Amino acid sequence: MKNLSLKKWLPLSMLAVTALLPLEAQAHRQWLLPSATVLAGNDPWMTVDAAVSNDLFDFENFPLKLDGLQITAPDGSAVQAEGASTGHLRSVFDLQLKQQGTYKIAVTTTAVMASYKLNGENKRWRGDVQALAKEIPADATDLKVTQMDARIETFVTRGKPTTSVFKPSGKGLELAPITHPDDLVAGTPASFRLLFDGKAAANLKVTIIPGGKRFRDQVGDFVVNTDADGKFSVKWPNAGLYYIGAETTDNASATKPATERRANYGATVEVAPQ
Amino acid sequence: MHRLLKVTLTGIATAPLAGTALAADLSVKVELPQLNVAEYHKPYVAVWVEHADQTPVQTLAVWYDGKKRNNEGTKWLKDIRQWWRKAGRDLTVPADGISGATRAPGEQALTFSDGKAPLGKLAAGEYALVVETAREAGGHELVRVPFTWPPKDAATASGKGEHELGSVTLNLKP
């Protein structure tokens, strides 16, 4: 009996895992992997892989669903990705940079996680907040709903870097760069601000993880803290791709029926050799 | 034919038992350090014997997550990468007397006897005992402890890891 209900639960959970796992298990990170972040020339193309995995940036677990993909051009307009497809291990899409300046590529997820009791049995459900009322039985008890906001980003620049796409949406955790994220150099400190709902995210842990774990013995990750103004500084030990991650909880700002709120942020940046 | 082969193999395996009264022992203590990390998973570990030139002789132990659905834990055996190249990809798990569940931090002790599986009969010569570990969301490390076989007297040799492994101690008894 126990086995049966587990089996029933699994396919559903697998779907949810694809979209939401990083909020549940820290090891499985969601990330975007840009083919390049600094581009030049005439309407250049770049391509992005999107996946969920333990080791950065290896395609070894799940694809990142592209439902929440938003690409913002330097002039603020929304750009469509081309050739988007989701495979077993990663999603992929192409982007042509028709404008000069910096583009923001973001995958955002807003969802709720509900736990409740039904006839004495513990149940869990994850999905869209709109579907919540329909999915949770009326006779459920001990209902606890957690709101989850995730934002996964990368920035790409054609020509000279611009800053118009850094304007925060004011929702969830966001990066407000001080040093341009497409202008990072090994050994040179870079600073950023982390915002939560548009305000300084003070005293948060920010995890920096270099890519290429597969070719090293150690993960090589390190933690920096945001100050009272949400500011943090990173000195890149080497050139390469890095993941910048942070998460926070704020139950006071949860939207009903949620009583708890979690938010996470992940960005992939490229650090050039000197 | 198949049955005949089995009988013969059994015969070979049991034959050395006659001499076990004089067989040497090889015992291993592996210290898995307690790590202060945000997310800890017990490491995958392989323990094997290799020749002085690092060619493999025999896998003694493999600890992995064998309880995952659809045997999914085997997917990460390749992360014990030296062992995987040398012996792991030739081994079918679960392997009787060799593979087992991952183990908790602390000291783990194993004892092997000359002529008995999985150590088998080691020819006289120079060897190394190797312990290699790979941890989900963590690091990788390998410790190699050279030894001479068979031991003339009781002997102890040890090595030490820096991150993922504590001390690896080898006790030999003639």
Side-chain angles (χ1 to χ4, degrees):
Chain A
M1 189 59 206
K2 201 179 174 190
N3 258 334
L4 259 177
S5 62
L6 183 69
K7 268 184 191 158
K8 242 183 185 172
W9 189 77
L10 279 167
L12 264 176
S13 79
M14 288 302 286
L15 284 175
V17 151
T18 314
L20 304 169
L21 218 146
L23 297 163
E24 284 293 281
Q26 292 177 336
H28 285 86
R29 294 195 163 83
Q30 298 180 318
W31 42 265
L32 297 173
L33 175 63
S35 61
T37 61
V38 175
L39 295 109
N42 197 12
D43 296 351
W45 283 94
M46 56 90 59
T47 188
V48 180
D49 293 307
V52 182
S53 75
N54 267 325
D55 293 344
L56 300 168
F57 294 92
D58 294 335
F59 313 118
E60 57 182 18
N61 289 95
F62 311 105
L64 177 65
K65 291 277 173 84
L66 298 179
D67 301 342
L69 174 65
Q70 297 162 321
I71 304 171
T72 312
D75 69 358
S77 62
V79 184
Q80 277 305 109
E82 291 199 33
S85 113
T86 295
H88 287 281
L89 297 176
R90 61 158 180 174
S91 293
V92 64
F93 56 90
D94 296 334
L95 174 66
Q96 188 176 26
L97 308 181
K98 292 181 179 168
Q99 295 178 25
Q100 297 276 354
T102 300
Y103 287 68
K104 176 157 83 177
I105 301 170
V107 174
T108 56
T109 313
T110 304
V112 290
M113 185 176 73
S115 65
Y116 58 94
K117 274 189 182 167
L118 190 65
N119 305 324
E121 243 186 287
N122 288 320
K123 302 269 188 183
R124 273 151 65 101
W125 179 84
R126 289 182 243 200
D128 199 77
V129 67
Q130 265 79 38
L132 185 73
K134 201 172 65 199
E135 296 291 332
I136 310 295
D139 50 345
T141 59
D142 301 280
L143 177 66
K144 197 176 87 175
V145 180
T146 304
Q147 175 187 349
M148 302 193 287
D149 301 315
R151 173 176 286 272
I152 310 301
E153 293 181 333
T154 192
F155 302 91
V156 298
T157 296
R158 173 185 168 194
K160 202 174 165 183
T162 56
T163 59
S164 55
V165 293
F166 300 154
K167 194 175 177 293
S169 73
K171 198 186 169 216
L173 277 176
E174 289 178 282
L175 193 71
I178 299 168
T179 308
H180 198 288
D182 288 338
D183 211 5
L184 307 175
V185 179
T188 307
S191 51
F192 308 89
R193 273 184 87 210
L194 202 60
L195 305 177
F196 181 56
D197 286 349
K199 293 192 277 288
N203 309 316
L204 269 196
K205 269 200 237 173
V206 180
T207 306
I208 315 290
I209 311 169
K213 157 76 200 321
R214 208 155 112 203
F215 310 109
R216 290 190 302 270
D217 278 337
Q218 297 299 304
V219 179
D221 56 333
F222 55 96
V223 170
V224 293
N225 291 296
T226 63
D227 66 13
D229 197 31
K231 214 174 120 179
F232 65 97
S233 177
V234 184
K235 194 173 174 185
W236 314 100
N238 296 105
L241 289 162
Y242 286 81
Y243 173 89
I244 302 173
E247 54 189 31
T248 192
T249 56
D250 180 45
N251 297 344
S253 63
T255 310
K256 276 183 184 174
T259 52
E260 293 186 8
R261 183 175 174 213
R262 282 190 244 166
N264 87 341
Y265 181 83
T268 303
V269 296
E270 181 179 343
V271 176
Q274 274 193 336
Chain B
M1 182 63 199
H2 205 179
R3 184 174 296 172
L4 248 179
L5 190 69
K6 261 189 192 162
V7 170
T8 316
L9 280 174
T10 312
I12 290 169
T14 50
L17 286 176
T20 45
L22 295 167
D25 268 355
L26 181 158
S27 48
V28 185
K29 281 181 190 156
V30 178
E31 191 190 337
L32 299 179
Q34 193 94 42
L35 297 169
N36 183 21
V37 291
E39 180 187 337
Y40 182 80
H41 299 274
K42 287 185 268 188
Y44 275 32
V45 176
V47 181
W48 76 93
V49 173
E50 62 184 27
H51 291 294
D53 68 359
Q54 300 193 0
T55 54
V57 177
Q58 178 62 45
T59 300
L60 300 181
V62 187
W63 304 334
Y64 74 103
D65 187 350
K67 285 189 177 162
K68 283 213 169 114
R69 195 170 49 103
N70 297 334
N71 217 6
E72 271 169 15
T74 55
K75 179 178 168 181
W76 311 105
L77 283 169
K78 51 93 185 165
D79 287 348
I80 320 173
R81 56 181 187 247
Q82 283 204 27
W83 170 77
W84 182 253
R85 284 198 302 275
K86 288 177 176 182
R89 59 195 183 193
D90 296 319
L91 183 76
T92 304
V93 289
D96 201 21
I98 296 175
S99 65
T102 52
R103 302 201 180 186
E107 192 178 81
Q108 301 292 342
L110 299 163
T111 298
F112 306 97
S113 293
D114 189 32
K116 280 192 190 171
L119 181 62
K121 192 79 194 157
L122 277 190
E126 297 299 315
Y127 296 93
L129 177 98
V130 192
V131 178
E132 185 180 11
T133 177
R135 183 167 54 87
E136 181 181 351
H140 166 274
E141 192 156 40
L142 180 142
V143 171
R144 197 170 258 126
V145 184
F147 67 95
T148 305
W149 192 263
K152 286 195 192 79
D153 304 295
T156 300
S158 66
K160 200 169 176 10
E162 281 177 41
H163 301 282
E164 301 289 325
L165 284 168
S167 56
V168 173
T169 310
L170 185 59
N171 277 300
L172 303 175
K173 264 192 259 169

